[in-house]
Amino acid sequence: SLTTRLPKAGETILGHKFFVGFGGKGANQCVQSARLGAKTSLICKVGKDSFGNDYVDNLKKNGISTAFVGQTTDAATGTASIIVNSEGQNVIVIIPGANLLLNFEDLKRASDVICKAKVVVCQLEITPAVSLEALKMARASGAPALADLDPRFYTYSDIFCCNETEAEILTGIPVGNLEDAEKVGRMLLERGCKLVIVTLGAEGCMMISGDEPIPKHVPAGKVRAVDTTGAGDSFVGALAFYLAYYPNLSMEEMIRKSNCVASVSVQAPGTQSSYPYRKDLPQDLF
């Protein structure tokens, strides 16, 4: 829903637009990767309902393998209610639904694709234990946020990416500036991460790694934001694409290019509907 401002508790305000679009962190990231040209597969569960059917079609339209998208009658497809104000700020309520029913059996069935993938991305929108198992199977990279996160999430992730809100949930440090982001990065490195990226919205990202203890700020270009919903997913999806297809680029360069892709996404409304295709982007990104 689009409104001029976000409502206060108990308040009813008039909005000026409502639409239903496709979302969910993992799916968003997968769609952005696929639109850049990556070969992708999504492992998830949706309901046997109209949202679930539409979602499977949407993934297929985006060229994503749905071999491991299960449909269940035991829960509804996950949904999120999002309210966006005229500054592009949002409030979100997520109902995970069928996603929480993804289990170890589902992972076993997908083990081949998980183990052969160049990059595996986890989001913690499924049961944490199942996410952890997927990371164990792949020893790859993800992006979670829970206050009492199992410490193994840090050691099993090659790249650990969080936004300001998630950073505070994980470390207790509110991120108001670059110094705070550095503190968060150092703390997460101490917990066993190899490389930490803290995304900072319009300010770009802060990156810190075990190999390069001096944190690097990678700024984002200045653009006029229409809707920032899903920008972080656009960034992660782009980063997964660069990791898989341009492994020789420096991490800083991958992040800079991913920032460019995400900054295109905030200039259009909606989540996946705002994600650019390779052909619509400056060719020096490829």
Side-chain angles (χ1 to χ4, degrees):
S1 304
L2 300 185
T3 61
T4 45
R5 61 181 178 80
L6 303 177
K8 299 188 201 38
E11 185 187 24
T12 301
I13 62 170
L14 218 50
H16 50 268
K17 191 169 181 210
F18 173 81
F19 57 91
V20 177
F22 295 102
K25 278 190 167 14
N28 290 347
Q29 294 163 3
C30 202
V31 165
Q32 182 62 88
S33 280
R35 287 186 181 181
L36 296 177
K39 182 170 181 279
T40 59
S41 185
L42 186 64
I43 300 160
C44 68
K45 240 181 203 159
V46 294
K48 259 202 170 71
D49 49 31
S50 61
F51 283 142
N53 297 338
D54 290 350
Y55 219 119
V56 174
D57 288 345
N58 173 58
L59 293 169
K60 286 181 176 154
K61 278 193 191 107
N62 277 283
I64 293 161
S65 162
T66 57
F68 305 105
V69 176
Q71 277 193 286
T72 176
T73 49
D74 299 333
T77 300
T79 54
S81 302
I82 306 174
I83 300 170
V84 182
N85 70 9
S86 42
E87 267 77 68
Q89 243 108 28
N90 57 33
V91 290
I92 304 178
V93 179
I94 290 176
I95 297 111
N99 267 322
L100 294 181
L101 300 183
L102 192 78
N103 58 32
F104 295 115
E105 284 305 301
D106 299 316
L107 282 193
K108 261 201 208 85
R109 278 195 288 276
S111 63
D112 202 41
V113 72
I114 293 172
C115 298
K116 282 185 180 153
K118 287 203 172 76
V119 180
V120 172
V121 186
C122 292
Q123 307 74 27
L124 276 203
E125 289 197 320
I126 57 174
T127 312
V130 180
S131 273
L132 194 56
E133 185 61 26
L135 285 175
K136 259 189 182 142
M137 285 162 81
R139 278 301 329 270
S141 93
L146 283 180
D148 48 356
L149 196 58
D150 185 314
R152 287 172 300 179
F153 273 106
Y154 302 110
T155 49
Y156 283 135
S157 300
D158 293 327
I159 298 171
F160 193 92
C161 181
C162 55
N163 64 23
E164 298 119 310
T165 319
E166 292 163 340
E168 184 176 351
I169 292 169
L170 294 164
T171 63
I173 300 170
V175 178
N177 54 37
L178 299 178
E179 287 71 49
D180 297 337
E182 281 183 31
K183 274 188 217 136
V184 165
R186 288 213 171 84
M187 191 184 279
L188 295 178
L189 283 184
E190 277 164 24
R191 292 185 193 173
C193 297
K194 291 166 206 60
L195 185 135
V196 179
I197 299 170
V198 182
T199 62
L200 303 163
E203 297 302 313
C205 300
M206 180 63 79
M207 146 190 144
I208 181 166
S209 75
D211 305 335
E212 277 196 42
I214 295 168
K216 275 209 169 96
H217 174 223
V218 188
K222 287 276 168 278
V223 296
R224 166 147 173 65
V226 172
D227 181 357
T228 57
T229 318
D233 295 334
S234 170
F235 172 82
V236 171
L239 186 60
F241 165 77
Y242 287 114
L243 286 163
Y245 290 86
Y246 294 84
N248 298 330
L249 286 177
S250 72
M251 186 43 83
E252 190 180 353
E253 190 56 20
M254 288 189 199
I255 292 174
R256 196 188 64 73
K257 288 178 187 295
S258 300
N259 277 345
C260 289
V261 173
S263 67
V264 171
S265 84
V266 303
Q267 296 176 69
T271 304
Q272 292 176 19
S273 51
S274 71
Y275 290 177
Y277 288 85
R278 185 174 184 139
K279 63 177 173 47
D280 303 321
L281 288 163
Q283 286 314 295
D284 60 0
L285 288 177
F286 302 100

